[in-house]
Amino acid sequence: PVLFPLQPGTKMDTKTRVRYSVQMARIMAEAGADILKLEFPVDPSVDRDPEIWEDALGRLNDACGTVPWVLLSGGVEASMFSLQATAACKAGSSGVMVGRALWNPAIKASAGGTDGRISILQSRSRHELISLTEIVHTHGTPFWQKTGRPTLDLNWYEVYPGINGSK
C-alpha cells in the first residue's frame, strides 16, 4: 500500500501518515498476507526526527504481528533510503525492496549514453546495494523469527494455506 493525500499537491502531516500506515499494515496482516512490502511511515521531507521515526516504525512493526515486512524505497535518494532502511530494520523489518532509489541515477544519466548508464549501475548502484545488504544482515529481523523456520518438506505446497482447500 502506498499513501496519497486526498488533496493533490499537499502533504499529510506525520501523525496522519503514521496512523494510516499502521492501519493499512494491520488490515493486510489480518487478511492473511505472507509478507508485506511497506513504504516508510514518515515522510522525510516533512519530518526527520529519529525519535518520531523509531516510534512510527515500532507501531508499524507491531501492526504487522507475525507477518514479516520489507521496506520499499519509494523513490527517495539512496542516502535517505539507507537511513530509512537502517531504522526500519532496527524496528523489525526483514529487508528492503529497492528500485528507483538505486536505479534512478542510471536511468536519468544522459552523459555517456548506454555505457555511462552501465558504468553507474556497476559502480554507484552496486556499491549502494552492497551497503543495503550489510544493513539488512546487521539489523534486519530474519523472516523466520516471525513465521517459524521453513521446513525442508518438498511437498510444502500441498498443505500451504489456501491451496487445495487446506487451511
Side-chain angles (χ1 to χ4, degrees):
V2 177
L3 289 173
F4 293 97
L6 295 176
Q7 298 296 324
T10 64
K11 292 185 181 271
M12 272 185 249
D13 64 85
T14 298
K15 187 176 181 180
T16 301
R17 184 177 170 93
V18 170
R19 184 175 73 242
Y20 288 143
S21 295
V22 168
Q23 278 181 319
M24 286 191 311
R26 181 173 288 114
I27 288 167
M28 292 187 351
E30 289 173 355
D34 292 321
I35 188 167
L36 297 174
K37 176 180 164 186
L38 303 173
E39 70 179 330
F40 201 75
V42 178
D43 183 343
S45 70
V46 174
D47 203 327
R48 292 192 182 198
D49 183 335
E51 290 181 11
I52 290 174
W53 285 19
E54 184 179 338
D55 176 67
L57 289 162
R59 292 174 55 201
L60 188 68
N61 187 61
D62 290 346
C64 292
T66 61
V67 177
W69 62 282
V70 297
L71 181 68
L72 67 90
S73 67
V76 297
E77 295 291 325
S79 59
M80 176 55 67
F81 188 59
S82 180
L83 295 172
Q84 291 177 332
T86 301
C89 285
K90 286 181 177 180
S93 174
S94 292
V96 296
M97 291 282 209
V98 288
R100 292 173 289 166
L102 297 189
W103 322 134
N104 261 352
I107 292 168
K108 292 180 178 180
S110 57
T114 301
D115 289 341
R117 288 184 176 99
I118 290 171
S119 176
I120 291 170
L121 289 170
Q122 290 176 335
S123 59
R124 179 178 171 181
S125 298
R126 181 177 183 274
H127 171 75
E128 290 164 348
L129 184 58
I130 289 169
S131 175
L132 287 168
T133 301
E134 290 172 2
I135 289 168
V136 171
H137 286 178
T138 302
H139 303 292
T141 301
F143 74 90
W144 60 79
Q145 286 186 7
K146 290 188 172 198
T147 64
R149 286 198 179 266
T151 66
L152 296 177
D153 179 5
L154 297 178
N155 298 320
W156 62 267
Y157 59 89
E158 292 176 357
V159 295
Y160 190 79
I163 298 178
N164 298 326
S166 59
K167 302 225 185 245

